[in-house]
Amino acid sequence: MSNIHFQEKFESRHNGPSPVEANEMLAKLGVSSIDQLIDQTVPSQIRAPKPLNLPKALSEVAYLKRIAEIAEKNKVFKSFIGQGYYDVILPGVIQRNVFENPGWYTQYTPYQAEIAQGRLQALLNFQTVICDFTGLEIANASLLDEATAAAEAMFMLYSARKNKDANVFLVSDNAYAQTVDVLKTRALSFGIELKIAAIAESELTDDVFAAFVQYPAADGSIVDYKSFAATAHSKNITVCAAADLMSLALLTPPGEWGADVVVGNSQRFGVPMGFGGPHAAYFATRDSFKRNIPGRIIGVTSDSNGKYALRMALQTREQHIRRDKASSNICTAQALLAIMASFYAVYHGPEGIKNIASRINALANLLDQALQSLGYTQLNAAYFDTLRVGLGAHAGALKSEALNNELNFYYNGSEVSIAIDETTTYEDIKTIVKVFAKIQGKTLNDVDFDALEENLGSSIPADLVRTSAYLTHPNFNSYHSEHEMLRYIKSLEAKDLSLCHSMIPLGSCTMKLNATAEMVPVTWARFGGLHPFAPTDQTSGYMQMIGELNDWLSEITGFAKMSFQPNSGAQGEYAGLMVIRAYHESRGDHGRNICLIPASAHGTNPASASMAGLKVVVVKCDELGNIDIPDLRAKATEHAANLNSLMVTYPSTHGVFEESIIEVCEIVHANGGQVYMDGANMNAQVGLTSPGHIGADVCHLNLHKTFCIPHGGGGPGMGPIGVAKHLVPFLPNHEVVSTSGEEGISAVSAAPFGSASILLISHAYISMMGGEGLTNATRTAILNANYIKARLENAYPVLYSGTNGRCAHEMILDCRGFKNFGIEVADIAKRLMDYGFHAPTVSFPVAGTLMVEPTESESKAELDRFCDALVAIREEIAAVEAGDVDQANNVLKHAPHTASVVTADEWDRPYSRQTAAYPLEYVRERKFWPSVGRVNDSQGDRTLICSCPSIEEYAEA
Ligand SMILES: *Cc1c(COP(=O)(O)O)cnc(C)c1O
C-alpha cells in the first residue's frame, strides 16, 4: 500500500498518551483493554446504544480550508450600528501577544495567586481604568456583558434598598433594547417591577428603589442627570448608569454627577465585536457597597516576605458563591477580555485615549455639519459619537443606498442613527455624506468640507465636559513605545503558570488542550468584525457555523435543540431554570418553586436556583458520595405539589458514575419536577452516554471545559443549554434578533448568540475529532484519571470510587488526615508550585481535599511527572508526621519558594536550597519560579485596595 491516502488524525494530537503509553497505563490498571476499563467504569444501564452520528473527522488543514469557505459567507460591512458595539483597532502587539497567545489565554482563574501575579496585575489595571473613567471608588474584574451587569446592579440595589416596601426599578425608555430585555428576565424572579419611562423627576415615586439610565442614551443624546440623581438621593432612591467607556474620556463621569453604580462594556477598548462577544463588562460602585459587589475583585496585599502581592479579594466569598444565600452566580467572567482592555489603556495612556475619543467626536461633528448643510435634520442636540437623522419618506432609499456602499446604520422607523468609532476615517465620513447627498440628487461637491472643518462647534454641553484627570498611575504612562509595551506584556506573562508550562489538573474544570488550529479563525476579520445586530443576509457564515454546532451538540447531549445565549456555565444554569419555570407556567402549573440540590453540588447551582426565584432544598449524600436515594424520595414526595426541579451533576462532583442516576430522574419526574443536569462533567460522558439518554430535561455545556474554549484566566466561556423536545418552545428569545418563538423566555444575555466568535473553537474541535475521536477522548480522560488514581492511592486515600473501584474522569485525594500534624491542604497546593505544577481543585466538593482531573490531553510522561511530585510531597509530609522536622518550620509551610528567597545570602531553613527549589531532577529542566511568596489573604481583606496604589498609598497600608 502506498502512503498516498495517509491523513494525519487530529485526534492523535489532542489525546495525550500514545498507543504504547496507553498500553503501559492499562497494564498498570490490570486490564487488558480500554474497553474493559470503560465497562468497569460506566454503568451498563446508561451506556449509549449507538455511536455518535457526526460528520467524519477533518484534518487541521482540511478544517481550516472549510471554515475559511464558511467565513466567506459573512459580509463585513462598515458598521455604524452602535447600540453598545463598536468596531475597534486592536493594537497588533496586544493581538499577537495576548489575544493569540496561549501564555495568556490558557490560564485558570487566579485562585493560586503566587503563580498568577501577571494577570492579577493586568486585572488590577482594569479595575483602575474603570474607577478612573467612571469616577467611582471600587470596580470588579469583570462581568459577562453590559446587560447582565445592569441586572446585577438592579439586584444589588434592590437588596440594599433603604425602603423595603419599594419594588419598582425605574428604567429609562432610552436604554439599549437588549439591556431592558435582560432586566425583564431577571426582575421576574424577585418580584421586582420594571417601570420603563422617560427619565423625569416626577417618576421618582415612593415605590421606586432605584433608577437606571443610559449615558449617553441609546439614541446617542447626552442627557444631564445631575439634578435627577440629587432628587433621587433625597428620596433614598439609588441611581445606576450604563455608560460608554470611550465617551467618558470627554464627559463628566457618572460618579461625579451622582450615580451610585456604573456598568458597561469595555469592548471599545480594543476588543473585536465578534458578532456579540466575548467582551468584558464592568461594574463600579461606591465604597459603601464594596461587600455587595458581584463577581471578582482583585486586591493588593503582601506576601510572606512582606513584598507587594495581589490576589482575589474576599476570595472565599466568591469561591463558595454563597450558595443559596447568593446574590449573584458569577464564576467564569471574561478575564481575558478585561486583560485586553486594560492593556489597551496601558498602550494608549490618558493622552492617547483622549485623542481617540476626541477624533471620534470630531468626525461625528463633521458628519453632523455636513448632513445639516445638505438640509437634513440631526436630532441629537448634544452627543458624543452618535447622530440621529430624521429621514421621513427617504428612509427606504437611504437604506438601500447605504447597503450599496456596504455601510450598516441603525434604523428605527423613519430615523437612522449613525455611530462613529475609532476605525472611522475622514474618507468614511465622505462616503456617508455621498450616500445622503445622492438620495437628494446631490453630490459631494455640494458640501464644503474644509469650511465645515474650520467651524466645528462642540457637541458636548459645557456642564458635562470632563475636567477630572484619569489614568494618572505610572502603569498607564510608561509603556507607549512598542518595545516597552511588548516587554511589559511579557514581564507579566512570565509570572503566570499556564498550560504552556505544565498540566493544570483542576477537578471539574477540564483544562484540556486548546489547539492552535481551533483558535486561528477566531481573529479573522470575517468573524471578529461582525456586529451582533448586522442584517441577517450578512451573517450567513455565522448562522451556518452555529447551526452545525447546534446539530452536533444536540446529537452529543441527546437533546432536541440548543440555545447559545448563556455566556458561562452559571448563566446556562440560570437560563435552564427559567426555561423550566416557563414550561411549568405554560401548563398552568403555578407555584412550583422548590429546587432539590445534592449537598455536593457546585456553588453556582444553588446560586442560580436562588436567582431564578427558587427555594433550595438540600438532598443528602451517602458515605460513598452518592445521592441518598431514600432522602431524595422523601423530599421529592414531601414537596411534590411544589417541586420545580432537581439539579444534578453527572458523573457526580465526587468523580463517580452513580448507578442510581436513572432512578434519580424517575423520582423527580414522578413528582412533577424537571431534571436539570449540570454539564460541567460532560467530558466523562461524550460518546459513552448523554444527558438526554439518562433522562434529564435540560443541561448546560461548559464549552470552555469539555469543548476546548480556553479558560482565559477566568473567562471567556460559553454555557449553551440543550433541552428535550417539550422545552424547546421556551428557549430564550432576544429583543433585537429573534432566536426563539413566541413562548420563548426573554433574553438572558446582551447578544443573541452570546459570545458567538468563540463558538468557532468548539466547532473546530468537533469537526476535527469526529464522533469516534470524541468518544476516544472521553475514554482517554477516564484512562488518565484511573492511571493517576492507581499511582497515587497508596500515598493519598482516594475518597470515592465506583462499584469496581474505578473513578470517572476525576478523583478526590483526601488530605484531611495531615491536619493532625499541622499540614493543611493549602500547604500541598503551594508546595506543588515549587515542583512546577498548578494545584488541583482545593476543598471542592469536600473541604480539606484535592480534586484531580487530568483530561485526555496529557501524555503519560506528564502524568508521571505530576504523580512523582505528589509522591515526593507525600514523603515530605511523612517526615513531619514522623516528627523528623518541625510542624511549623518545614519545606511545605514555607512554600512556594521564590528565586530571591532561595538565592539570598541568608539561609536559615532546616532544609537545603536544593530541596526548596529543585526537589526532583525533572524540575531542573523546566523550573518555573513563583514570583511572590505565599500571599496573605486576610491582610488584604482587612484593608481593601482594589486599584493600582501609589507607592505612598501602598506604604501606608
Ligand atoms: C465550572 C462549573 C460550573 C460553573 O461554570 P462557569 O462557566 O464557571 O459559570 C458549574 N458547575 C460545575 C460542577 C462546574 O465545575
Side-chain angles (χ1 to χ4, degrees):
M1 261 277 290
S2 82
N3 246 358
I4 287 175
H5 297 289
F6 172 78
Q7 199 189 49
E8 187 177 280
K9 281 186 168 176
F10 171 73
E11 182 192 333
S12 69
R13 305 288 176 185
H14 177 86
N15 291 332
S18 67
V20 174
E21 287 181 330
N23 282 335
E24 288 167 17
M25 292 158 71
L26 291 165
K28 170 94 184 160
L29 297 178
V31 290
S32 57
S33 70
I34 196 155
D35 286 334
Q36 193 187 351
L37 172 67
I38 299 304
D39 288 343
Q40 291 176 357
T41 309
V42 186
S44 58
Q45 62 271 32
I46 63 159
R47 292 287 289 275
K50 289 195 305 269
L52 288 174
N53 179 15
L54 294 172
K56 191 167 165 301
L58 298 179
S59 69
E60 294 186 26
V61 173
Y63 176 73
L64 287 171
K65 181 162 176 288
R66 175 163 194 266
I67 196 68
E69 285 160 12
I70 295 176
E72 287 296 311
K73 300 180 189 173
N74 287 331
K75 297 192 196 126
V76 188
F77 285 13
K78 195 89 210 155
S79 175
F80 299 93
I81 298 171
Q83 302 301 306
Y85 302 93
Y86 305 85
D87 204 0
V88 296
I89 298 172
L90 166 55
V93 66
I94 300 175
Q95 171 164 344
R96 176 154 295 185
N97 299 292
V98 183
F99 199 22
E100 298 177 337
N101 176 358
W104 280 100
Y105 65 65
T106 65
Q107 291 100 325
Y108 181 62
T109 309
Y111 283 118
Q112 297 296 336
E114 297 81 358
I115 49 175
Q117 292 293 303
R119 62 191 179 284
L120 285 164
Q121 182 62 57
L123 292 170
L124 190 76
N125 291 350
F126 177 80
Q127 290 174 183
T128 308
V129 171
I130 301 306
C131 289
D132 285 6
F133 275 85
T134 59
L136 282 171
E137 287 126 26
I138 188 163
N140 74 3
S142 43
L143 293 174
L144 296 171
D145 58 36
E146 178 166 325
T148 53
E152 298 287 345
M154 171 176 73
F155 185 67
M156 184 186 91
L157 296 173
Y158 179 69
S159 307
R161 70 199 186 283
K162 292 240 169 65
N163 173 7
K164 295 292 174 197
D165 296 327
N167 77 328
V168 173
F169 191 56
L170 176 64
V171 177
S172 163
D173 60 1
N174 204 348
Y176 292 141
Q178 67 272 22
T179 302
V180 178
D181 203 9
V182 171
L183 287 173
K184 256 186 217 162
T185 316
R186 294 279 281 269
L188 204 62
S189 351
F190 294 109
I192 295 173
E193 191 188 318
L194 288 194
K195 183 173 181 196
I196 299 165
I199 286 299
E201 286 167 40
S202 57
E203 299 288 351
L204 295 167
T205 46
D206 286 348
D207 50 357
V208 174
F209 66 88
F212 177 82
V213 299
Q214 189 96 40
Y215 181 70
D219 68 4
S221 60
I222 298 174
V223 180
D224 189 343
Y225 300 111
K226 208 172 297 155
S227 81
F228 175 79
T231 307
H233 289 155
S234 74
K235 298 180 167 187
N236 276 334
I237 296 171
T238 47
V239 177
C240 172
D244 176 273
L245 213 48
M246 187 61 82
S247 74
L248 299 181
L250 305 183
L251 296 180
T252 305
E256 289 176 21
W257 56 245
D260 302 282
V261 181
V262 185
V263 296
N265 193 350
S266 62
Q267 183 259 318
R268 257 190 136 158
F269 276 29
V271 183
M273 290 186 285
F275 198 44
H279 331 120
Y282 67 83
F283 185 109
T285 186
R286 304 200 175 283
D287 203 50
S288 51
F289 290 114
K290 70 183 171 212
R291 310 239 163 221
N292 310 80
I293 299 178
R296 310 186 171 115
I297 307 169
I298 310 307
V300 181
T301 187
S302 57
D303 75 351
S304 48
N305 309 308
K307 284 178 30 184
Y308 172 91
L310 303 170
R311 91 289 176 238
M312 297 205 290
L314 313 167
Q315 184 170 128
T316 42
R317 179 198 71 163
E318 202 262 355
Q319 199 156 20
H320 300 289
I321 318 175
R322 296 201 293 187
R323 303 192 79 89
D324 55 323
K325 298 201 177 41
S327 51
S328 155
N329 64 348
I330 300 298
C331 190
T332 287
Q334 314 285 26
L336 181 71
L337 303 310
I339 288 167
M340 284 172 65
S342 84
F343 278 131
Y344 179 94
V346 168
Y347 179 75
H348 287 295
E351 286 302 310
I353 290 186
K354 187 159 188 184
N355 284 336
I356 293 167
S358 306
R359 188 183 66 225
I360 290 171
N361 182 242
L363 286 171
N365 226 311
L366 179 66
L367 179 61
D368 180 13
Q369 306 290 329
L371 296 181
Q372 291 199 42
S373 80
L374 286 171
Y376 286 97
T377 314
Q378 200 284 109
L379 299 162
N380 286 338
Y383 57 85
F384 165 61
D385 62 357
T386 303
L387 306 177
R388 194 156 54 97
V389 184
L391 292 170
H394 289 310
L398 182 95
K399 187 169 183 176
S400 63
E401 190 55 25
L403 289 172
N404 287 342
N405 284 273
E406 307 206 334
L407 304 176
N408 285 336
F409 301 144
Y410 184 70
Y411 301 93
N412 188 359
S414 64
E415 285 176 14
V416 62
S417 88
I418 303 171
I420 305 302
D421 63 44
E422 183 190 8
T423 68
T424 310
T425 61
Y426 193 72
E427 290 311 310
D428 293 330
I429 299 295
K430 286 194 164 170
T431 310
I432 297 173
V433 174
K434 191 182 74 187
V435 166
F436 275 83
K438 183 162 177 192
I439 60 167
Q440 289 190 339
K442 295 183 186 164
T443 70
L444 273 184
N445 294 335
D446 295 308
V447 181
D448 184 348
F449 279 92
D450 292 340
L452 294 175
E453 198 179 333
E454 289 293 307
N455 295 307
L456 288 185
S458 171
S459 69
I460 297 175
D463 286 5
L464 286 174
V465 171
R466 178 164 194 151
T467 53
S468 51
Y470 50 85
L471 304 186
T472 53
H473 192 274
N475 287 357
F476 304 104
N477 295 280
S478 307
Y479 310 111
H480 299 161
S481 76
E482 182 160 329
H483 254 153
E484 288 295 344
M485 185 67 196
L486 176 67
R487 289 168 192 156
Y488 183 60
I489 291 173
K490 287 285 165 186
S491 74
L492 296 188
E493 179 190 337
K495 294 178 177 182
D496 286 12
L497 188 132
S498 70
L499 286 176
C500 300
H501 303 97
S502 51
M503 69 188 283
I504 301 186
L506 281 159
S508 206
C509 296
T510 317
M511 302 288 290
K512 57 167 66 174
L513 172 75
N514 315 119
T516 309
E518 292 158 1
M519 303 300 141
V520 166
V522 176
T523 43
W524 289 349
R526 287 208 183 241
F527 289 116
L530 266 71
H531 191 289
F533 308 155
T536 45
D537 60 355
Q538 296 171 22
T539 64
S540 27
Y542 257 116
M543 296 326 291
Q544 179 181 345
M545 184 271 288
I546 294 171
E548 290 175 356
L549 193 57
N550 173 68
D551 295 346
W552 302 340
L553 293 176
S554 298
E555 167 70 11
I556 289 167
T557 54
F559 282 135
K561 196 168 192 279
M562 312 290 301
S563 162
F564 289 98
Q565 261 189 39
N567 279 311
S568 72
Q571 290 304 89
E573 294 168 18
Y574 173 73
L577 292 172
M578 294 306 282
V579 165
I580 290 175
R581 174 197 167 111
Y583 165 76
H584 287 312
E585 296 283 325
S586 78
R587 292 154 42 99
D589 207 352
H590 306 296
R592 289 200 170 266
N593 68 339
I594 301 291
C595 184
L596 302 176
I597 300 184
S600 62
H602 191 266
T604 55
N605 290 188
S608 301
S610 145
M611 281 173 53
L614 302 175
K615 198 169 160 289
V616 175
V617 172
V618 178
V619 178
K620 285 188 216 151
C621 291
D622 65 19
E623 65 281 5
L624 295 173
N626 298 323
I627 293 179
D628 182 329
I629 297 288
D631 191 53
L632 171 69
R633 198 184 302 280
K635 285 179 174 147
T637 323
E638 180 192 340
H639 296 289
N642 302 331
L643 188 61
N644 178 286
S645 47
L646 163 89
M647 295 185 86
V648 60
T649 304
Y650 198 75
S652 73
T653 51
H654 293 142
V656 177
F657 284 100
E658 285 171 73
E659 312 241 341
S660 59
I661 186 70
I662 292 178
E663 193 184 354
V664 166
C665 295
E666 283 166 0
I667 292 172
V668 174
H669 286 147
N671 289 287
Q674 294 277 291
V675 176
Y676 183 95
M677 190 167 276
D678 178 327
N681 286 349
M682 196 65 200
N683 211 45
Q685 288 193 40
V686 178
L688 299 180
T689 180
S690 73
H693 181 65
I694 290 167
D697 303 288
V698 197
C699 172
H700 77 257
L701 299 176
N702 294 66
L703 298 188
H704 46 301
K705 295 177 180 173
T706 316
F707 294 94
C708 295
I709 293 176
H711 274 61
M718 272 297 280
I721 53 171
V723 296
K725 203 163 159 224
H726 63 284
L727 296 177
V728 170
F730 309 101
L731 286 174
N733 213 334
H734 190 276
E735 186 65 29
V736 185
V737 179
S738 164
T739 54
S740 182
E742 254 171 43
E743 288 183 288
I745 62 168
S746 45
V748 296
S749 293
F753 303 99
S755 299
S757 63
I758 53 173
L759 292 174
L760 283 161
I761 298 166
S762 302
H763 184 267
Y765 174 60
I766 298 173
S767 297
M768 297 191 297
M769 292 292 271
E772 199 185 316
L774 289 173
T775 310
N776 284 337
T778 312
R779 288 149 49 97
T780 309
I782 292 171
L783 171 64
N784 280 2
N786 279 287
Y787 177 72
I788 291 189
K789 178 171 179 285
R791 276 216 53 195
L792 292 179
E793 62 195 345
N794 291 333
Y796 300 86
V798 172
L799 254 192
Y800 304 107
S801 42
T803 326
N804 299 310
R806 301 298 180 197
C807 62
H809 64 313
E810 60 190 2
M811 86 224 65
I812 296 174
L813 305 179
D814 193 353
C815 305
R816 292 172 296 186
F818 310 142
K819 258 182 187 284
N820 297 332
F821 36 92
I823 301 300
E824 304 283 337
V825 67
D827 299 325
I828 301 173
K830 302 304 172 192
R831 181 60 178 150
L832 266 171
M833 295 173 186
D834 290 333
Y835 287 82
F837 284 105
H838 191 290
T841 301
V842 176
S843 288
F844 171 78
V846 182
T849 66
L850 294 172
M851 180 158 59
V852 181
E853 178 184 359
T855 84
E856 69 277 11
S857 301
E858 301 303 338
S859 66
K860 177 171 180 291
E862 183 69 359
L863 300 178
D864 280 334
R865 269 191 292 274
F866 176 68
C867 293
D868 291 347
L870 274 176
V871 168
I873 291 173
R874 182 66 186 89
E875 285 160 15
E876 293 169 355
I877 298 170
V880 183
E881 188 173 9
D884 297 342
V885 294
D886 190 85
Q887 289 195 4
N889 184 14
N890 59 58
V891 74
L892 289 136
K893 286 288 172 196
H894 289 300
H897 296 82
T898 61
S900 70
V901 164
V902 172
T903 59
D905 290 340
E906 302 286 315
W907 183 259
D908 58 2
R909 305 274 169 87
Y911 50 90
S912 72
R913 291 171 152 125
Q914 156 122 345
T915 305
Y918 299 108
L920 285 176
E921 200 47 41
Y922 80 80
V923 185
R924 288 192 181 281
E925 296 293 318
R926 295 208 179 175
K927 182 63 187 172
F928 181 88
W929 288 103
S931 61
V932 298
R934 204 176 296 193
V935 302
N936 186 332
D937 284 323
S938 52
Q939 180 206 325
D941 283 348
R942 277 192 307 274
T943 16
L944 269 183
I945 303 180
C946 301
S947 51
C948 297
S950 63
I951 306 290
E952 304 83 62
E953 266 177 291
Y954 177 65
E956 273 168 39

